[in-house]
Amino acid sequence: MSHANNQAEKIKAISGVNPLKCMKCGKCSATCPAFNEMDIKPHQFVSYVQNGDIEALANSKSLWKCLSCFACVERCPRDVQPGRLIDAARQIVVRTKGQTGLAPEEIPELLDSEVPQQLLVSAFRRYRR
Amino acid sequence: MKYTYYPGCTLKTKATDLDAYARASAKALGFELEEVENWQCCGGVYPLGTDEIASKLSSVRALNEAKEKGQDLVTLCSACHHVIKRVNNDMKNNADIRTRANNYMQLEEAYAGETNVLHFLEVLRDKVGFDTLKEKVVNPLTGKKIGAYYGCLLLRPGKVLGFDNPENPTIIEDFIRAIGAEPVIYPYRNECCGGYISLREKEMAKNMCDKIKESAAGFGAEMLITACPLCMYNLNKSDEAALPVYYFTELLAEALGVKEEVV
Amino acid sequence: MSIKNEEFRPKIVAFCCNWCSYAGADLAGSSRLAYPADVKIIRVPCSCRVNPMFILRAFEKGADGVILCGCHPGDCHYSTGNYYARRRMTLLFSMLDYIGVENGRTRVEWVSAAEGVKFSQTMNEFVEKIRSLGENVRLGDLRCKN
Amino acid sequence: MQRIGVFVCHCGSNIAATVDVKKVVEMVQMEPGVVHAEDYQYMCSEAGQAKIAAAIHEKNLTGIVVCSCSPRMHETTFRTAAERAGLNPYMVEIANLREHCSWIHKDMEEATKKAVILARAAIAKVNLNTPLKPGESLVTKRALVIGGGIAGIQTAIDIADAGYEVDIVEKTPSIGGRMSQLDKTFPTLDCSACILTPKMVEAASHEKITIYTYSEVDKVSGFVGDFTVDIRKKARSVDATKCTGCGVCQEKCPSKKAPSEFNRGLNTRSAIYTPFAQAIPNVPVIDRDACMKFQTGKCGVCEKVCQAGAIDYTQKDEIVTQKYGAIVVATGFDTIKLDNYDEYAYSQSKDVITSLELERIMNAAGPTKGHLERLSDGKHPHEIVFIQCVGSRCSDDRGKSYCSKICCMYTAKHAMLIRDKYPDVNVTVFYIDVRTPGKNFDEFYRRAVEEYGVNYIKGQVGKVIPQPDGKLLVQGSDLLDNKQILKEADMVVLATAIEPEASVRKIATMLTASIDTNNFLTEAHPKLRPVESPTAGVFLSGVCQGPKDIPETVAQAGAAAVKAIGLLAKDKLMTNPCTAKADELMCNGCSTCANVCPYGAISYEEKEINDHGIREVRRVAVVNNALCQGCGACTVACPSGSMDLQGFSNRQIIAEVDAICR
């Protein structure tokens, strides 16, 4: 199995999602509140996994723009759950040695006095291993 | 009536009032919240990967403690509620996660999702009853026009959380009516505030909160209430429409006449 | 004709009612939804035609698993036949379990004429289960073994 | 000992490519009773059947086994062939080597081994077969049509024109169904009422047709050719024989707050009402839940104003019992409830409507008198957005997994009609796919785009966001442009999925007709018997079988009528001879079998029995072959083992079990 295929299989396994269920209706992209910030749009994300183009996903901005708000998961008529696929791609990146979406040294300047613990914990969970 | 209570990290630090008002209100309503001993942080977000086990264990510990006490587990923070309820659903319905989590835990009796997880609002709706709550209100917030801000974590995915209709919820509106105020229904009440994105993408989160506040104000809301410290933080960053944001427990305590006790 | 490999190939009898499950099996066939050749189907008019005696006989003659498929509750061609089957099999299977024919070796499943996929899935699962349980050693008439 | 012939079919390459048919022929010859075995390319062909006939004659065969496709496919073919060659047709058994073997296995050795076992089982069974003779039953020359929409009306007219009596049972106060609610029909845009009303009148005035409106089927018993049905005529509170249909009662009725079912609840009607002006019969009913007379005892206005003295508050439900030879189900459809789709704000905004509601709004007799206006404020809209596939093609258990089939076309129709009548209104359609198979259908859709300027956007809508100023913000995808778009609209129309009318479940249960997971009635064969239910004597007409448009519905209604006529034209029917039979010597008259029989086919007789020389009168079970349908419930219930099923006897099934486990 090629590396790309292998990565795609990994994404399917981690997310527990079968991207082939997608009927390309675009409801995820119609729903996504972060749509305009994303370079690879949610519906494209599903196609990329189908086609095994994981390299592009790993390098995409979208990975770090998804809010995990589950709106796409809730409204997807085919139960494809694009949000889970995006998270699985993120996992593949942050589980790779030396890769992370959030370096500890960049944190201090991001903080203000009001930041709730919950925010830090959540961001760490999503962006780091 | 006694419940096992899971406060979570933020309620012990930045959001102590969310917690304190809830405890005072619970007392006034005749139920007791027994804090989980040595609870550990839920992680703030639900680990979506089907192979992530360790990050689900803190929830399992809290769930198991409630099971051993034979009590329902009550949460207050939307994020804790979301994480613990979804982990509980995994423990109940996903044999793989259940087996692997129990292998870690080495409990005397394996945990299989027996505990009933309730959000404080669900306790008010399903255990106390909004009619009873209404009767116990001594200081009705008559004339106040309040917008409920649900956000994502309380509602979605609807099938797992089973909290309310994820697209057209009513529980906080019913709560608002019970404390004597008038709910304002606006379409952005279940749209995301930006969540954890606000750590780095401040502008993006602010834009999203602007939209929420603008919509609420447009429909006549004078204030917003929420159950989530992160939503509160993000919403307060937006200066759109001078809409104050409160924790729902603060208004509850006020209506029950126990707000002063807390301060 | 010998089987190529040495792995355990169970004998499985599937009783299928004519109206739903047999048609479901036909649909699995016309949709080319494969399941192991270990499953052999016997057509009966209704799941309620299956006498517990037939199932005992199958085990006696060396079957390793027996599955009974009928219409979904409420959809029986004869209105109520599958309810009788359900009650009878509940009793029979618990008795069989008691005497050592594990519960996994017996199964009742509702498969409609439209559920080719379900039929195939069910048979795959059932064969898998029987393979994991191994050969049935209870009830078998030793004279039947070769 | 039987003399058995085995015939192995190649089915072209369908069987022969996976099963070594020569090997099967070789192996079965070793089976007891087999005196002949051969294979042939197509056993079901003329030549194949001739081979069977020849073997029967030459080898004096007493039983045959055909190893071929499913018995559901060709059992009748081979039985008839055997009968023509002088063999009792019930001496034929089929081993299913295609659907149950060659089509699902790949390995030839394994498939061949299984094929041999399946053939052995069939041979073992035939060894125990006995000749059976079907009985006869009479056919009642009258048909029942359940549902009075276009499907039911067309079926009834066609059957009646062939000279048979037909009864239509319709649960609402008038026939006409969904079609009567439509404004125009695609792709010709003719007015729905103009083409439907004459049919309604034709049905009502046909001397062979009796219409029971405001009536429901209560109970069904019997079987093909001889059904007995109880029809409940709900109390109308109006004497139809006296009513002149003048309409004064409806005008004067003071209680006018009940939602109008006909107008989909968009406006109200009086408590005494006919659903619409052209209703047939033109006799109103009193909605007792809405009527003040019934609720409070005070009123009685309608009785006072009725010159004909037709109002009768004391009327009660009436049961009519009637016999039928054939039953046609034509129960139709409804749109799904939108509770699971609140993201489209249907429950939050009056200006978000379903397509069926739009039909009523566009209709001159509708709640807005045919003026296109917003239901919230009565204002004329300038931007209308249509959303396709609302609840259709959803595999996530919120909606329906199937395509509702009619939405693409009616949306094109709506868009075109609006653009035609109100050129100032912009129309946008969000679609996933535009599906227009049908004569002149795609041309029709293209006309909407090219001539009427309807803006089609490929992409689903995520959310409809009501604005404080009453406008609706539609947030959707434009997949071809890879954009998320926000479109301000005055009205949003949802192409809501259709589903079978809720009452169909109850009716299917009464008829023991099977329904699928979506509550559509199942056909006897999806391709070759599409208008027949697997239950003999029950036929399917219209959307109760699956989504379809009006021309398809009418075509299917005619086809169902032909099938029903074919049945009614027979004087007698052959009954299934595979019926239960009690062994009088073993029966102890305990009544257990009669208790489980769903058809009441078992009775008891005091009979003189000669039990090994001892003559005594015993109470024994007797099966009525005309009533017995051959399910076999009694055979298992019988504690003494005296009850057995012909054609599927205990010994036969055990022989099959033995052959398989050998």
Side-chain angles (χ1 to χ4, degrees):
Chain A
M1 195 184 279
S2 71
H3 177 70
N5 266 339
N6 198 357
Q7 295 285 80
E9 288 308 314
K10 226 188 230 171
I11 288 188
K12 287 182 217 166
I14 294 177
S15 63
V17 165
N18 175 8
L20 294 179
K21 283 161 77 179
C22 175
M23 66 167 170
K24 326 263 182 202
C25 71
K27 199 170 182 182
C28 46
S29 285
T31 283
C32 182
F35 181 92
N36 290 328
E37 310 288 328
M38 291 188 170
D39 47 358
I40 296 177
K41 311 300 188 189
H43 72 281
Q44 293 177 295
F45 215 96
V46 180
S47 300
Y48 275 59
V49 178
Q50 282 178 357
N51 299 332
D53 193 356
I54 310 303
E55 189 69 30
L57 295 183
N59 295 319
S60 71
K61 277 203 288 178
S62 305
L63 229 47
W64 315 105
K65 305 289 181 182
C66 169
L67 305 156
S68 305
C69 74
F70 306 112
C72 56
V73 173
E74 188 67 46
R75 291 178 197 155
C76 174
R78 308 295 299 181
D79 208 15
V80 176
Q81 313 190 15
R84 284 193 100 126
L85 285 176
I86 295 177
D87 186 73
R90 203 156 44 194
Q91 289 293 321
I92 290 213
V93 172
V94 301
R95 287 180 194 183
T96 311
K97 201 172 174 203
Q99 300 246 30
T100 175
L102 181 64
E105 49 279 12
E106 58 175 310
I107 292 172
E109 60 179 284
L110 296 172
L111 297 181
D112 61 42
S113 61
E114 302 297 313
V115 166
Q117 274 68 12
Q118 185 192 349
L119 173 53
L120 279 176
V121 176
S122 306
F124 262 94
R125 267 281 163 84
R126 286 282 184 250
Y127 296 149
R128 287 180 62 88
R129 172 71 172 158
Chain B
M1 192 68 191
K2 271 188 190 173
Y3 297 97
T4 302
Y5 172 55
Y6 182 97
C9 57
T10 315
L11 271 63
K12 289 291 179 185
T13 49
K14 295 281 186 219
T16 44
D17 43 349
L18 172 60
D19 172 73
Y21 289 130
R23 288 176 194 259
S25 305
K27 210 166 125 194
L29 290 168
F31 63 94
E32 206 175 309
L33 299 173
E34 280 186 359
E35 196 166 318
V36 176
E37 271 181 56
N38 301 320
W39 56 264
Q40 295 156 313
C41 173
C42 69
V45 288
Y46 168 73
L48 283 161
T50 51
D51 58 351
E52 293 177 78
I53 304 298
S55 43
K56 293 181 175 115
L57 295 180
S58 61
S59 302
V60 179
R61 285 196 187 95
L63 287 161
N64 189 58
E65 186 173 323
K67 174 188 161 186
E68 281 171 359
K69 284 205 243 167
Q71 293 174 350
D72 291 344
L73 181 64
V74 172
T75 56
L76 189 49
C77 165
S78 308
C80 304
H81 176 71
H82 181 88
V83 175
I84 295 177
K85 216 174 206 176
R86 288 186 80 171
V87 171
N88 200 37
N89 177 64
D90 287 339
M91 295 301 284
K92 208 187 286 181
N93 300 318
N94 186 322
D96 181 54
I97 293 178
R98 177 168 62 238
T99 313
R100 289 161 65 187
N102 276 306
N103 284 347
Y104 273 105
M105 298 284 294
Q106 296 292 324
L107 301 167
E108 268 176 39
E109 186 192 51
Y111 181 76
E114 291 90 344
T115 299
N116 190 20
V117 182
L118 293 173
H119 189 270
F120 195 88
L121 280 163
E122 289 178 297
V123 175
L124 295 183
R125 179 187 62 190
D126 304 333
K127 303 290 175 175
V128 176
F130 284 135
D131 289 338
T132 314
L133 171 59
K134 198 171 185 174
E135 285 163 21
K136 299 215 171 162
V137 165
V138 295
N139 180 20
L141 281 66
T142 317
K144 283 215 168 78
K145 291 182 170 175
I146 307 177
Y149 179 65
Y150 288 88
C152 342
L153 297 173
L154 281 178
L155 297 170
R156 295 190 287 262
K159 257 183 275 180
V160 176
L161 293 183
F163 179 80
D164 205 337
N165 177 344
E167 301 291 355
N168 189 17
T170 55
I171 182 169
I172 305 186
E173 281 76 10
D174 291 340
F175 165 77
I176 293 169
R177 277 183 208 104
I179 58 171
E182 184 190 328
V184 174
I185 295 174
Y186 62 104
Y188 281 93
R189 64 207 163 114
N190 61 341
E191 291 294 314
C192 183
C193 67
Y196 56 78
I197 211 89
S198 63
L199 186 64
R200 275 197 308 211
E201 313 281 348
K202 313 232 178 249
E203 202 52 31
M204 184 177 160
K206 185 173 168 299
N207 286 340
M208 296 169 77
C209 289
D210 284 351
K211 250 197 248 176
I212 294 164
K213 283 180 140 180
E214 189 189 356
S215 169
F219 279 91
E222 293 160 354
M223 61 175 79
L224 292 181
I225 56 173
T226 177
C228 175
L230 183 50
C231 297
M232 168 81 107
Y233 170 79
N234 285 340
L235 287 168
N236 277 336
K237 291 277 170 196
S238 154
D239 37 29
E240 181 72 31
L243 269 192
V245 187
Y246 298 98
Y247 289 124
F248 76 97
T249 50
E250 180 170 353
L251 300 197
L252 174 63
E254 188 179 337
L256 291 172
V258 295
K259 188 175 174 181
E260 307 311 317
E261 292 170 26
V262 175
V263 185
Chain C
M1 268 182 295
S2 65
I3 296 256
K4 278 177 226 153
N5 46 21
E6 290 299 306
E7 71 173 306
F8 166 57
R9 302 306 301 261
K11 284 180 185 164
I12 293 171
V13 180
F15 290 99
C16 291
C17 84
N18 180 48
W19 303 98
C20 290
S21 308
Y22 195 89
D26 279 0
L27 183 58
S30 45
S31 318
R32 313 296 197 274
L33 300 163
Y35 52 88
D38 308 330
V39 178
K40 315 284 188 305
I41 295 170
I42 294 180
R43 182 163 73 127
V44 287
C46 175
S47 52
C48 72
R49 174 64 188 99
V50 175
N51 199 314
M53 190 170 73
F54 303 160
I55 292 168
L56 294 173
R57 177 76 166 206
F59 283 121
E60 181 193 337
K61 292 289 179 183
D64 300 298
V66 179
I67 180 164
L68 169 57
C69 300
C71 308
H72 283 268
D75 292 348
C76 175
H77 180 73
Y78 305 102
S79 307
T80 51
N82 49 4
Y83 296 133
Y84 291 125
R86 180 166 65 184
R87 255 177 279 163
R88 288 167 187 160
M89 294 310 138
T90 307
L91 279 178
L92 174 70
F93 295 171
S94 80
M95 190 274 278
L96 281 171
D97 191 46
Y98 177 71
I99 60 173
V101 179
E102 304 91 323
N103 256 332
R105 295 192 186 277
T106 49
R107 181 162 169 185
V108 171
E109 196 62 60
W110 312 129
V111 179
S112 81
E115 291 175 331
V117 176
K118 183 177 180 188
F119 186 86
S120 169
Q121 271 171 0
T122 303
M123 291 307 150
N124 276 304
E125 276 169 33
F126 190 61
V127 172
E128 203 39 55
K129 179 77 193 169
I130 302 300
R131 284 188 184 160
S132 73
L133 287 171
E135 202 178 339
N136 179 39
V137 289
R138 294 289 167 141
L139 269 188
D141 182 339
L142 290 178
R143 290 167 298 181
C144 300
K145 299 277 170 190
N146 30 4
Chain D
M1 194 71 184
Q2 306 273 21
R3 295 177 57 79
I4 299 169
V6 182
F7 302 86
V8 185
C9 179
H10 298 202
C11 196
S13 64
N14 280 310
I15 293 173
T18 322
V19 171
D20 182 349
V21 287
K22 299 282 179 203
K23 183 89 184 171
V24 176
V25 168
E26 179 197 324
M27 295 296 285
V28 295
Q29 278 170 341
M30 297 179 233
E31 292 301 305
V34 176
V35 296
H36 175 84
E38 64 177 308
D39 61 286
Y40 184 64
Q41 205 143 26
Y42 289 105
M43 272 302 167
C44 59
S45 69
E46 194 80 24
Q49 293 186 38
K51 278 177 178 292
I52 295 175
I56 291 173
H57 292 306
E58 284 163 24
K59 303 269 174 91
N60 269 329
L61 300 182
T62 59
I64 62 176
V65 169
V66 187
C67 303
S68 59
C69 54
S70 172
R72 293 166 53 87
M73 195 77 174
H74 275 312
E75 189 174 60
T76 318
T77 312
F78 293 122
R79 280 186 171 163
T80 315
E83 192 173 21
R84 275 199 303 265
L87 193 67
N88 182 286
Y90 293 89
M91 297 306 291
V92 177
E93 289 295 333
I94 309 287
N96 187 344
L97 298 200
R98 196 177 73 175
E99 282 83 349
H100 292 187
C101 188
S102 68
W103 272 354
I104 44 166
H105 305 315
K106 286 209 175 74
D107 183 281
M108 191 144 191
E109 193 180 330
E110 220 178 79
T112 307
K113 196 173 143 76
K114 176 168 173 181
V116 171
I117 294 175
L118 293 178
R120 272 183 194 153
I123 295 164
K125 188 177 180 193
V126 170
N127 262 311
L128 298 166
N129 276 22
T130 47
L132 299 175
K133 200 172 171 297
E136 281 180 345
S137 66
L138 295 175
V139 176
T140 306
K141 309 245 168 203
R142 190 183 190 97
L144 170 67
V145 175
I146 305 174
I150 180 62
I153 291 171
Q154 185 64 48
T155 302
I157 291 174
D158 288 347
I159 296 175
D161 280 348
Y164 299 101
E165 299 281 340
V166 187
D167 294 350
I168 299 178
V169 173
E170 164 59 44
K171 70 175 175 168
T172 71
S174 168
I175 57 168
R178 291 280 165 245
M179 189 174 167
S180 63
Q181 292 176 293
L182 307 183
D183 183 40
K184 302 270 192 319
T185 55
F186 62 77
T188 44
L189 297 182
D190 30 8
C191 143
S192 186
C194 310
I195 53 178
L196 174 67
T197 325
K199 289 243 178 230
M200 291 165 61
V201 173
E202 188 185 347
S205 54
H206 204 296
E207 56 167 358
K208 296 278 186 190
I209 298 179
T210 309
I211 298 175
Y212 296 96
T213 54
Y214 209 49
S215 301
E216 285 174 30
V217 172
D218 235 19
K219 199 176 139 202
V220 179
S221 58
F223 48 91
V224 53
D226 188 25
F227 294 105
T228 305
V229 178
D230 285 358
I231 299 165
R232 175 180 296 273
K233 290 172 71 179
K234 291 180 281 186
R236 228 178 166 100
S237 314
V238 175
D239 186 339
T241 59
K242 291 185 187 157
C243 175
T244 59
C246 69
V248 174
C249 53
Q250 301 180 53
E251 225 171 87
K252 301 286 182 198
C253 174
S255 155
K256 289 198 160 56
K257 290 207 182 107
S260 157
E261 294 86 353
F262 188 74
N263 283 326
R264 305 297 289 179
L266 298 181
N267 66 353
T268 57
R269 56 156 170 82
S270 44
I272 182 164
Y273 73 106
T274 47
F276 54 104
Q278 301 79 17
I280 287 180
N282 186 16
V283 177
V285 300
I286 295 180
D287 171 357
R288 293 185 173 184
D289 294 331
C291 172
M292 295 196 311
K293 175 78 181 174
F294 281 97
Q295 293 304 315
T296 65
K298 295 186 198 95
C299 187
V301 169
C302 49
E303 191 178 25
K304 280 181 212 121
V305 299
C306 181
Q307 305 248 318
I311 307 293
D312 179 3
Y313 299 124
T314 63
Q315 234 180 42
K316 288 198 168 59
D317 287 7
E318 189 189 328
I319 304 286
V320 179
T321 303
Q322 184 66 260
K323 281 189 161 273
Y324 300 100
I327 299 178
V328 183
V329 188
T331 43
F333 71 98
D334 203 345
T335 53
I336 63 163
K337 293 219 160 38
L338 287 168
D339 301 353
N340 289 338
Y341 291 94
D342 271 320
E343 65 264 37
Y344 296 131
Y346 178 75
S347 62
Q348 293 129 63
S349 169
K350 277 186 150 183
D351 300 321
V352 180
I353 57 172
T354 68
S355 300
L356 193 50
E357 288 165 5
L358 182 64
E359 292 283 353
R360 296 314 306 147
I361 289 173
M362 300 284 285
N363 190 279
T368 60
K369 308 266 181 289
H371 300 296
L372 182 63
E373 55 189 52
R374 282 158 50 100
L375 293 172
S376 60
D377 54 13
K379 283 192 187 142
H380 177 66
H382 297 283
E383 286 282 347
I384 299 187
V385 167
F386 286 83
I387 304 177
Q388 299 301 92
C389 298
V390 176
S392 300
R393 307 172 70 193
C394 290
S395 58
D396 64 345
D397 77 25
R398 290 202 296 168
K400 303 292 176 185
S401 59
Y402 50 85
C403 165
S404 293
K405 198 170 184 179
I406 54 176
C407 322
C408 284
M409 282 302 288
Y410 69 58
T411 297
K413 172 190 78 178
H414 288 151
M416 202 186 278
L417 288 171
I418 290 171
R419 292 283 299 154
D420 187 52
K421 202 167 166 191
Y422 309 98
D424 62 310
V425 180
N426 290 320
V427 176
T428 305
V429 178
F430 282 91
Y431 71 95
I432 305 174
D433 300 292
V434 178
R435 296 176 166 180
T436 51
K439 192 169 162 183
N440 295 327
F441 282 15
D442 204 63
E443 294 90 327
F444 181 81
Y445 148 62
R446 289 311 305 170
R447 248 170 70 211
V449 177
E450 294 166 24
E451 289 174 32
Y452 290 87
V454 178
N455 180 22
Y456 272 77
I457 299 177
K458 183 170 173 64
Q460 184 56 292
V461 167
K463 184 160 174 151
V464 174
I465 305 155
Q467 300 293 93
D469 64 0
K471 297 235 181 211
L472 299 158
L473 204 54
V474 179
Q475 183 180 319
S477 267
D478 182 339
L479 294 174
L480 298 181
D481 228 357
N482 208 17
K483 282 200 179 107
Q484 188 182 74
I485 45 183
L486 280 169
K487 185 151 196 74
E488 206 165 68
D490 300 304
M491 277 173 90
V492 170
V493 184
L494 309 177
T496 311
I498 59 172
E499 64 180 347
E501 232 295 321
S503 57
V504 76
R505 263 204 94 85
K506 202 176 122 207
I507 288 165
T509 308
M510 283 191 277
L511 295 170
T512 69
S514 44
I515 46 179
D516 67 18
T517 45
N518 291 312
N519 285 354
F520 287 113
L521 284 151
T522 313
E523 321 82 329
H525 187 286
K527 286 158 204 126
L528 302 178
R529 296 173 69 193
V531 299
E532 295 158 78
S533 150
T535 303
V538 176
F539 305 96
L540 314 175
S541 177
V543 182
C544 67
Q545 176 264 339
K548 46 181 73 68
D549 59 23
I550 295 168
E552 277 183 307
T553 295
V554 172
Q556 200 205 17
V562 169
K563 292 289 172 187
I565 293 164
L567 168 58
L568 298 179
K570 291 180 182 144
D571 294 326
K572 284 174 181 169
L573 290 176
M574 300 287 232
T575 58
N576 171 19
C578 296
T579 51
K581 196 175 177 187
D583 180 338
E584 290 173 350
L585 285 182
M586 278 156 76
C587 178
N588 62 9
C590 68
S591 294
T592 309
C593 53
N595 288 336
V596 299
C597 179
Y599 303 100
I602 304 174
S603 57
Y604 293 87
E605 272 177 21
E606 301 289 335
K607 217 170 171 183
E608 189 180 279
I609 306 288
N610 183 347
D611 190 352
H612 300 87
I614 302 165
R615 286 180 171 278
E616 58 182 356
V617 174
R618 289 187 196 163
R619 179 176 189 265
V620 291
V622 179
V623 177
N624 179 339
N625 282 334
L627 292 178
C628 175
Q629 298 295 298
C631 68
C634 54
T635 63
V636 183
C638 177
S640 66
S642 81
M643 195 60 92
D644 210 347
L645 187 62
Q646 304 177 91
F648 291 94
S649 71
N650 289 336
R651 287 184 60 215
Q652 283 173 307
I653 296 174
I654 284 175
E656 286 180 89
V657 169
D658 289 359
I660 287 172
C661 297
R662 184 154 25 122

